[in-house]
Amino acid sequence: MTISLVIADDHAMIRAGLRLVAENADGIEVVGEAADGSEAIAVVRRERPDVLLLDLAMPVVDGLEAARTLLADPAPPRIVMLTTFGSDENLHQALRTGVNGFLLKSSPPEHLVEAIRVAAAGDGLIDPAVTMRMIASFAARPVLVPPPELDTLTGREHDVLLLLARGLSNREIAGEAGVGEATVRSHVAQILHKLGLRDRVQAVVLAYESGIVRPGEA
């Protein structure tokens, strides 16, 4: 199936480069572009894309507010944020909002294509450099009271959540846990359902915020 994509960035040259990378990949079709957050909201609601590449820092309406607005819609797109590293607070807020991935604008083209495909498949991807920045940000924050829903997780689901928090893919988790990828997908789905989370990105945020895993732990 073809993945429909909207690109939102206030720099025309960056939009052109992102379009070129996306359209040179198999199975991705760019159906719209936007130069600011307000325009991104309008284009997404008109075109109903599968995935939105959304710059975090944009004029008129920034990417964070655009993401919040779109994710409140009945059938929002999967959102991958693009950043050159703004403030840690914006990064933290965007992750909590429920975006499906974070990618540096300096990432190689293959990472961009992978992020689009992973998001379209209903999963999330965070650039390793963003992950390290995120972990450092969480390390400086007070630990929140763990939600009571954590107690509903089985022992295996708790273990999978810890592996998710390390940024491991389903394949890597399967290798660590000695189970098949289908089993891992089932565990992840149960974790998200029990904790009332949108995707694995929010699961990572919850794991660090609640202190069940701390930065630097293996």
Side-chain angles (χ1 to χ4, degrees):
M1 294 179 62
T2 299
I3 300 168
S4 56
L5 176 71
V6 166
I7 299 170
D9 192 288
D10 56 319
H11 293 94
M13 288 184 64
I14 292 179
R15 293 199 307 275
L18 294 170
R19 173 185 278 272
L20 182 63
V21 171
E23 291 187 334
N24 279 338
D26 292 335
I28 300 175
E29 178 187 5
V30 178
V31 297
E33 294 184 11
D36 60 59
S38 179
E39 188 178 353
I41 294 169
V43 173
V44 165
R45 286 175 171 170
R46 182 180 69 243
E47 300 295 338
R48 313 304 301 177
D50 299 311
V51 178
L52 167 64
L53 284 180
L54 182 62
D55 184 16
L56 181 58
M58 287 191 297
V60 185
V61 173
D62 66 19
L64 182 58
E65 186 58 36
R68 286 197 185 107
T69 299
L70 289 170
L71 288 170
D73 285 352
R78 312 294 291 181
I79 298 177
V80 176
M81 282 291 208
L82 298 169
T83 181
T84 53
F85 275 143
S87 70
D88 287 340
E89 184 58 33
N90 280 345
L91 173 63
H92 184 256
Q93 289 186 40
L95 287 165
R96 295 201 70 199
T97 294
V99 300
N100 308 103
F102 248 101
L103 201 65
L104 291 177
K105 290 185 179 180
S106 58
S107 297
E110 58 269 22
H111 285 189
L112 173 66
V113 173
E114 181 184 8
I116 294 170
R117 289 177 173 155
V118 167
D123 215 330
L125 183 148
I126 305 178
D127 187 287
V130 179
T131 300
M132 297 309 297
R133 178 77 168 260
M134 178 183 73
I135 290 173
S137 174
F138 283 130
R141 295 174 177 269
V143 174
L144 302 180
V145 177
E149 290 80 7
L150 280 173
D151 293 335
T152 67
L153 299 183
T154 66
R156 176 64 79 178
E157 289 166 353
H158 187 272
D159 291 343
V160 169
L161 177 58
L162 296 182
L163 294 172
L164 279 177
R166 288 168 48 190
L168 272 61
S169 67
N170 285 353
R171 178 177 299 178
E172 291 167 333
I173 293 173
E176 289 270 351
V179 298
E181 285 190 60
T183 300
V184 173
R185 286 194 293 270
S186 177
H187 286 318
V188 172
Q190 282 298 309
I191 291 168
L192 299 181
H193 174 71
K194 290 180 178 181
L195 300 181
L197 303 174
R198 187 188 306 274
D199 55 35
R200 65 198 297 134
V201 174
Q202 288 191 323
V204 172
V205 173
L206 182 144
Y208 280 100
E209 282 190 333
S210 62
I212 63 173
V213 64
R214 300 298 297 160
E217 290 182 349

